[in-house]
Amino acid sequence: MTADLRAQIITEARTWIGTPYHHNAKVKGVGVDCVQFIIAVYDACGLTFVGDADYPHDWHLHRSEERYLNGVSRYGRKVDQPDPGDLALFKFGRCVSHAGLVLPDGAGIIHSYLGNGVVISSLTNHRLAGRLHSFWSVIP
């Protein structure tokens, strides 16, 4: 992924800040959940990412299937050191079930979080810190 594309991803993601969290929605300024946020941002930048499949809000609490991770692995590759615009994946319940976009210069992630909507969060001082699973780079 080029530096220009990474900058475009971050610029687009920032336009979503303040959008309320709403399960399975994808309307800037109105409502979006974590996966729909990633899909919308990448789509606006010309990247394909996990499809728009409908899913129950609590699917990750009752199953062990790596549904989210399997979707990410179809479009990306795991990386040890993320670059801006890469994904940070988090584990809730039994499996990976949340993601955010990595910001430049260690500034954290931008993500849609239940109760907060689209916000910027630190990876070290946020309640997600202990849930970090892995980083992934999407392949254009």
Side-chain angles (χ1 to χ4, degrees):
M1 194 180 311
T2 67
D4 286 344
L5 180 55
R6 290 181 181 285
Q8 183 183 356
I9 290 166
I10 299 305
T11 298
E12 174 62 24
R14 288 181 185 278
T15 69
W16 284 78
I17 291 176
T19 299
Y21 180 92
H22 190 281
H23 173 67
N24 217 9
K26 187 172 57 174
V27 180
K28 191 186 297 187
V30 177
V32 69
D33 67 17
C34 76
V35 72
Q36 297 299 334
F37 169 65
I38 303 295
I39 291 168
V41 169
Y42 280 170
D43 186 53
C45 297
L47 293 172
T48 301
F49 186 62
V50 181
D52 288 355
D54 187 31
Y55 48 90
H57 179 70
D58 60 352
W59 65 268
H60 60 285
L61 298 176
H62 307 291
R63 294 176 186 84
S64 297
E65 177 189 359
E66 286 290 0
R67 186 174 180 178
Y68 202 132
L69 185 58
N70 289 341
V72 170
S73 67
R74 288 190 327 213
Y75 298 100
R77 62 180 170 77
K78 189 174 179 181
V79 295
D80 294 326
Q81 296 297 319
D83 288 314
D86 284 346
L87 293 171
L89 300 184
F90 301 88
K91 190 171 186 174
F92 282 85
R94 298 178 180 175
C95 53
V96 170
S97 57
H98 186 69
L101 293 166
V102 175
L103 293 169
D105 302 321
I109 60 166
I110 184 168
H111 60 132
S112 183
Y113 198 67
L114 182 64
N116 297 332
V118 179
V119 294
I120 293 174
S121 299
S122 166
L123 285 176
T124 56
N125 297 325
H126 190 269
R127 59 191 124 174
L128 290 174
R131 298 180 179 277
L132 182 61
H133 177 271
S134 55
F135 295 107
W136 290 73
S137 186
V138 172
I139 301 166

